[in-house]
Every structure is written in structure tokens, then in C-alpha cells.
Amino acid sequence: MGYTIAEKILKSHLLDGELVRGGEIGIRIDQTLTQDATGTAVYLQLEAMDIDRVKTELSVAYIDHNTLQAGFENADDHRYIASVAKKHGVRFSRPGNGICHQIHLERFGVPGKTLIGSDSHTPTAGGIGMLGIGAGGLDVAVAMGGGAYYITMPKMIRINLSGALPDLVAAKDVILAVLSLLGVKGGVGAIIEYGGEGVKTLSVPERTTITNMGAELGATTSLFPSDEVTRQFLAAQGREEAFSPIFADPDASYDAVYEIDLSALTPLAACPHSPNNVRTVSELSGMKINQVCIGSCTNSSLRDLLTVAAILKGKTVHPDVSLSVSPGSKQVYTMLAECGALADLIDAGARILECACGPCIGMGFSPNSGGVSLRTFNRNFEARSGTKDASVYLVSPETAAASALYGVFTDPRVLKDAPTVTLPDRFKINDNMIDMPAPPEKAGEIEILRGPNIKPIPRGKAPDETLACEVILKVGDNITTDHIMPAGAKILPFRSNVPKLSEFCFTVCDADFPERARAKGGGIIVGGQNYGQGSSREHAALVPLYLGVRAVVAKSFARIHRANLINFGIVPLEFENAEDYAALSLGDEIKIDGLLSAVKNGGELYIESGERKISLSLSLTERQRKILAAGGLLNYTKGV
Ligand code: MIC
Ligand code: SF4
């Protein structure tokens, strides 16, 4: 039997286990990336593991999230990351150079290679046939040290594309259609591969919009084949030698196959507060809007911004709308400037932001109270924009630009002329903002620069044999890491300071949670389905650990967050019967007997609450058992 694209890459990188779907495998990682909001924790852990020099083919540290500097904290973090990168053999992309996923694609991605990143949108690289996976920071640190990266061998989902996109219908509409088909849990435990004749009609930036937002399906990653379109893109980046073709074998086996006719798609929007709450733009047409934000790792390519500039050229943004544009990279920004498109954007009234994540992570541009914001981003979770009662809709650059002109939700197909955008034969290449590390013989001379806001990472400890405590929080389904550990301009500066960060933990759901957790000396959290979806931030495990959370009992967990819980010694327990979720309430005293033994050796587990005895399940691989029993991956790696 033939192989899927993912199986071919996994097979050539397999270090441990067998390619049997559902089993645990360890793979060799060729490249890693970090960004600054998760990066300080990654490098603190790299240091804690006594790794002097990274062992990957390439590791890059990007600064793109915390670029707003209203105090010393972010600037100190950047300085720390720059110095630690230089010392340990990591390339450093300076602030202002752009968003990690966009730059990595332009300058470093290689079809057929493996990449893990401490950011959930690392699968963007799948648009050129690179296996990119989002991971917790500690997993990334281990991979930098040359260790294998462990995942459950995913099942394979295939999406066949046919036809071609109509004018003003975009790649964003394709992924929104997939989200409406599969939902935010539809990709959990799976790799999504795109194939079929329609693939050839999509450029690399369009493919990466689709693979980027595959993260919102909960998928391990998404992949396009590496074909002639990929070769041309890499050649235009001056990197043709990085190209190699990769396709799925015709007889590859998939667990599910879906068909999407590109020519039948219409403009779509994800409505508040979930990326899979999808409706057609025509249904929403006429709704008054206050703000439009164009950018993020989903839609900030040259192709996207040239399209937006062409739509806005010679016109004026509606007086009731504030429009921001953040280019994805310095390459995009300079090319927009050189061809005059930047002037068209400025002239139409766009507020141009620096090349960074910006409003996507709540770093500025929060909407007005109760405001309606149309964003070309990938997440519209409650409060993520910085305004709790705002309504955020996720749309294509085409829909965003048309709506910015009219001041209401507008189907871009009303624009008479669809802009024709052709990608250049040669992008403007200048890597002057990506610093080289020091050569190994000079590394000893480099001083690591730490600021007062950079605090040590808390260490986990082995689970108790009998856990007796209280339910200190009960939450519903699809809790995101933005609920657990919110981001935004006020909180992100404390990503290197877990004690300070803990004051904000879960406050979106329950303002009293941090106080209660402290007063009770910790306890357990009860969650619903897909607990911990969204970002890869390990702070969503580290901070609860700091607040004394010893276990989370949920109906099910999202992949990266579950791995992060295990990495920090928090036990991810599942209800054997989902209905038992109703039996536990905030403040209940609970007891779990034999927890440590069950972690080590398996066996039956119950949670006792009053008269009730509720069955739990804890499915762990041998490796995960050892990690949890050691109180987390750092202890396990160091043999503590
Ligand atoms: C996000 O989009 O939520 C982030 C910010 O990029 C996160 C990482 C983080 O929390 O720092 C992600 O997607 O992993
Ligand atoms: Fe940055 Fe937003 Fe992309 Fe996360 S989703 S990496 S915050 S642009």
C-alpha cells in the first residue's frame, strides 16, 4: 500500500515506534522556531537542561508577538532571547522583521523536512509540503537539544479540491468552508492533506492560508503536495535548491476523504466567538461595522496585501471604520513600498502597523465597546481582541477590504473589477534582520542578558498517591488557552514572570479564580470537550501548576494542551462517561485514590465526591507515564 505525504515525511524521520495510526512515534526534528511570547520559557528550559549548542539543522528565534513596549518587560525579553540565541547557535529574527510563520516560509521552509515551533500555527509550513507542527515550548527545547519529538501517529484525512476559485472568493473561504464542514474538533488526532486538480490553481500564499488555519480544526498539521507551484515559489525566493517534489501515492490510504469544489464556494465569515461558526458573507451583508484589521500569519502575504491595495486604490475607507494593515514580513512591506501599493493603502486611509502579530494577539487595536471588527486573522475567541464585548468576524482580505470601503459587511463580489495580482518572479531578498549565532568557539564569551521580569520556571512534582482537594473551577466545552491564560497588551509583558501572570489565569471565565486557587492551596479543574484548544502556550499549564492545580478532569482535551499538561506534571483525566461531568460542581470536595500508581501502571481510577464514585480514564503511553511520574518533562529529562 502507498503512503500519504505525511507518512513519507514521518517515515524518513522516524526514530522511535512504528507508523501505526494511534500509536506513539518519536521523530527527528530538522528545524525549530520560537516566537517571543513563548520563547523566553523555551530558552529558560533549554538553559535548565544544560544544552550548550542546538543540534538541529536550523533553529530560529523570532520576535513578533510582544512588540508593543509600554514598559521594560518586552524589551528585556527580546534582549534575553537575542543573547541566548547567539550563545546557543540559534538564528535571531529581530523585531520589525515580521511574523515567524511568514518569514519561515519565505526564507527557511523546506519541503519534506520537519519543523516544530512553539506556536500553534507552525503548520503554515505545510503549504510547501513541510511537516510543521505546533508544540509546547519544552518539547521544542528538547528537540533543539537533539531529542526526538513524540506524537500520537495521526489518522489521515484527505480533502480533494476540484475546480478553481471564482473571482473575489479566496483561500480563506476554502478553510472557512473546511471549518464549517469539520468543526473545531474535526481535525483532532489527524493530519489533513489536500489533493486533487484544484490544488494546482492555488498559489503558495493561498495554500499557506489554508494550512495555517488548519490549527483551528485541532489538526496535528495540514499538508499540500510540493509541486511545480512550490518550485516556482522557492525559486522566486532564491532557494530553488530547497525544492523537492512530494506527492501522496495514488493508493495511499486515508481514514476519511472529503470533496470541495472550489468553483462552488462563496465568501464566508466565522462569526463570534468561534472559527467554525461560519456563515456566508451575503447573509451578514449590511451589518454595520466599526473596525477592519488586515494581517496576521493567515493573511499578510504580498499576494493578500496587493489584493487589498488594488481594491482600496483611489478610494477612501468609510468614515465609521478604522482600518489597520500589518504586513507579514519586511519582505512584504518593502515590496509593497517599492511598487507603490503601500501609498495606495495609506492614501485610502489605512493605518499601517509594523510587521508583527499586532491586533491578532490583542497587541493594540482593540475594538470599541460592543464593536464589530472584521479581521483576516484565524481566531475570534472571546476577549482575545482585548475588548470582551466586541464581536469579531474572521474574513478574507477581499471581504475585509470591500467592507472597509462600505462601512457594512460587504460581499466583495459587488466590486465590479476583481484585482489581478501576479506574484513576482523574484522576491526582494535581504536577510539583514536575521542575525547569525556566534561560532561555537566564541559562544563562551557571550553573556546572557536577563531583566528583573524574567523569573524561573516552576517545576512540577510527582502526583500524590491520594489526591484530596476541591474542585476550584468548573468550565464548559471548547475552553481555549485564551480563556486559561489570556494574552493581550496588558498581560503579554509578563510571559516570563509566572507569579505575575497567575493573577490573570482564567479571569475571562471567573474573575475570582486566581484568588480562590491561592486560598485553597490548589485543587482540580473540571472541563468539558476539547479542553485547551487554540494556542500552544505552555503558560496555560505552567500557570495553573503554579496555582496548585494537580489534575484536570475533562470530557476530552486538545492535543497540544494535553501534551503541555503532561510536560508540567498535571494529570489529564477524562470522564469515562461524559454525563458524569454534571455530577461535579465548583467547591466539591473530591478524592482520587491510587493516582500515582495509576499514572505509573494504569488500572482503574475513580473520583469520589460525597456519595458518588465516578469512573475516570487516563490513557498514557509508557513514556508519558514516566514523565508524569517524574513531575514533568524537565525533571524526566534531567533524571530528577
Ligand atoms: C496565538 O495565536 O494564540 C499565539 C499567541 O500565537 C499562540 C502562542 C502564544 O500564546 O504565545 C499560539 O498560537 O500558539
Ligand atoms: Fe501571531 Fe496571530 Fe499568528 Fe498567533 S495567530 S502567530 S498571534 S499572527
Side-chain angles (χ1 to χ4, degrees):
M1 181 152 31
Y3 292 107
T4 66
I5 304 171
E7 284 170 340
K8 289 185 182 180
I9 304 177
L10 291 169
K11 189 164 170 274
S12 61
H13 288 79
L14 197 65
L15 295 176
D16 198 2
E18 284 171 47
L19 289 189
V20 178
R21 297 175 195 180
E24 190 178 54
I25 52 169
I27 54 169
R28 191 181 72 248
I29 296 301
D30 301 319
Q31 300 187 354
T32 64
L33 70 81
T34 57
Q35 39 91 334
D36 49 332
T38 53
T40 43
V42 175
Y43 296 107
L44 287 169
Q45 294 173 115
L46 190 79
E47 288 189 86
M49 287 189 288
D50 301 323
I51 293 164
D52 293 337
R53 193 96 189 156
V54 297
K55 301 197 174 60
T56 46
E57 291 173 10
L58 173 83
S59 287
V60 190
Y62 294 91
I63 305 291
D64 52 3
H65 281 62
N66 291 342
T67 54
L68 211 65
Q69 280 152 239
F72 63 90
E73 293 88 353
N74 291 340
D76 279 6
D77 282 355
H78 298 175
R79 200 175 56 151
Y80 166 70
I81 294 175
S83 61
V84 86
K86 192 164 192 177
K87 194 174 180 77
H88 288 83
V90 176
R91 293 195 72 175
F92 178 72
S93 169
R94 300 191 216 165
N97 196 37
I99 306 175
C100 55
H101 308 301
Q102 176 67 26
I103 303 170
H104 208 85
L105 179 81
E106 292 169 357
R107 308 303 311 138
F108 300 118
V110 178
K113 296 249 178 198
T114 54
L115 164 74
I116 65 168
S118 61
D119 190 281
S120 61
H121 290 102
T122 307
T124 311
I128 56 166
M130 176 176 214
L131 191 88
I133 304 183
L138 187 46
D139 284 324
V140 177
V142 168
M144 282 198 247
Y149 174 56
Y150 284 85
I151 50 169
T152 305
M153 176 66 192
K155 56 184 191 203
M156 303 286 152
I157 295 179
R158 162 98 169 196
I159 299 184
N160 284 322
L161 303 177
S162 58
L165 287 170
D167 282 351
L168 295 154
V169 179
K172 184 62 155 279
D173 302 311
V174 178
I175 186 64
L176 290 175
V178 177
L179 271 152
S180 107
L181 189 70
L182 300 181
V184 285
K185 299 200 305 285
V188 174
I191 290 183
I192 302 192
E193 289 190 6
Y194 292 85
E197 284 301 300
V199 163
K200 294 190 192 127
T201 68
L202 297 173
S203 63
V204 164
E206 292 175 297
R207 295 176 184 188
T208 54
T209 293
I210 296 170
T211 50
N212 172 282
M213 225 178 145
E216 275 52 66
L217 296 160
T220 303
T221 192
S222 302
L223 278 162
F224 271 83
S226 169
D227 59 5
E228 180 51 24
V229 174
T230 322
R231 192 195 60 73
Q232 281 170 18
F233 174 83
L234 289 170
Q237 289 288 355
R239 302 200 292 119
E240 193 169 357
E241 75 293 345
F243 173 75
S244 63
I246 314 180
F247 296 91
D249 291 330
D251 57 344
S253 112
Y254 290 92
D255 299 275
V257 180
Y258 298 90
E259 310 287 333
I260 291 186
D261 176 3
L262 297 175
S263 39
L265 292 178
T266 58
L268 298 172
C271 303
H273 297 291
S274 180
N276 69 340
N277 194 4
V278 175
R279 289 171 68 186
T280 63
V281 171
S282 63
E283 278 175 88
L284 301 160
S285 251
M287 180 197 292
K288 191 102 189 86
I289 63 169
N290 307 101
Q291 186 191 62
V292 174
C293 299
I294 297 174
S296 92
C297 56
T298 320
N299 280 121
S300 60
S301 64
L302 185 65
R303 182 235 161 252
D304 286 339
L305 299 193
L306 287 174
T307 306
V308 170
I311 294 174
L312 297 184
K313 188 178 167 83
K315 307 200 175 74
T316 304
V317 169
H318 190 276
D320 297 342
V321 174
S322 187
L323 166 69
S324 75
V325 175
S326 6
S329 67
K330 177 169 80 83
Q331 181 183 81
V332 172
Y333 209 170
T334 45
M335 290 184 78
L336 282 175
E338 283 178 357
C339 74
L342 181 62
D344 296 335
L345 291 168
I346 298 170
D347 191 51
R351 297 168 62 185
I352 312 294
L353 307 181
E354 67 176 323
C355 313
C357 300
C360 178
I361 189 58
M363 274 285 171
F365 247 79
S366 298
N368 55 289
S369 329
V372 173
S373 179
L374 266 57
R375 300 177 159 213
T376 65
F377 307 166
N378 47 36
R379 290 186 173 146
N380 58 347
F381 302 146
E382 188 184 7
R384 181 175 164 98
S385 66
T387 305
K388 190 154 194 279
D389 61 2
S391 298
V392 175
Y393 294 82
L394 306 175
V395 296
S396 69
E398 287 82 344
T399 300
S403 305
L405 289 176
Y406 289 96
V408 289
F409 236 114
T410 303
D411 185 327
R413 293 172 301 174
V414 302
L415 302 168
K416 279 181 229 61
D417 306 312
T420 35
V421 166
T422 38
L423 287 179
D425 293 336
R426 185 85 178 171
F427 288 94
K428 187 178 169 70
I429 297 156
N430 185 355
D431 294 333
N432 59 339
M433 293 282 280
I434 311 177
D435 298 339
M436 291 304 277
E441 64 281 6
K442 295 261 189 260
E445 295 164 22
I446 306 220
E447 189 198 345
I448 297 186
L449 305 168
R450 299 168 210 278
N453 184 51
I454 302 178
K455 303 276 188 249
I457 301 279
R459 284 282 182 101
K461 56 177 190 187
D464 300 327
E465 181 62 4
T466 298
L467 178 65
C469 58
E470 266 187 41
V471 175
I472 51 172
L473 186 71
K474 181 170 180 182
V475 287
D477 289 345
N478 294 320
I479 282 296
T480 71
T481 51
D482 278 281
H483 290 109
I484 307 175
M485 203 46 258
K490 292 195 197 83
I491 307 178
L492 276 172
F494 304 115
R495 276 289 177 90
S496 314
N497 183 344
V498 169
K500 179 73 187 162
L501 214 49
S502 71
E503 294 168 20
F504 304 95
C505 186
F506 266 117
T507 47
V508 180
C509 306
D510 180 343
D512 301 329
F513 174 72
E515 198 40 56
R516 182 163 61 246
R518 238 172 254 126
K520 302 279 177 199
I524 64 157
I525 293 175
V526 174
Q529 299 272 14
N530 201 23
Y531 178 88
Q533 68 159 329
S535 110
S536 67
R537 61 188 73 151
E538 60 192 345
H539 300 81
L542 262 175
V543 175
L545 168 72
Y546 175 80
L547 288 172
V549 173
R550 308 305 316 273
V552 179
V553 185
K555 291 184 193 167
S556 66
F557 290 91
R559 179 186 70 87
I560 307 178
H561 186 61
R562 185 174 189 276
N564 284 336
L565 289 173
I566 294 172
N567 281 351
F568 292 100
I570 300 179
V571 190
L573 297 160
E574 287 181 27
F575 290 104
E576 191 79 62
N577 305 306
E579 314 82 77
D580 285 334
Y581 166 83
L584 291 175
S585 308
L586 178 67
D588 284 355
E589 304 239 346
I590 60 102
K591 187 158 80 113
I592 304 176
D593 274 328
L595 183 59
L596 182 60
S597 308
V599 162
K600 286 185 174 155
N601 312 313
E604 293 190 342
L605 260 187
Y606 298 93
I607 182 166
E608 291 170 54
S609 163
E611 298 296 287
R612 300 208 46 154
K613 207 169 166 196
I614 297 164
S615 317
L616 300 175
S617 72
L618 176 60
S619 92
L620 297 170
T621 64
E622 270 319 303
R623 189 179 148 270
Q624 290 170 335
R625 290 188 188 288
K626 291 187 189 132
I627 293 174
L628 261 181
L633 182 58
L634 202 52
N635 297 343
Y636 172 72
T637 309
K638 292 201 76 174
V640 175

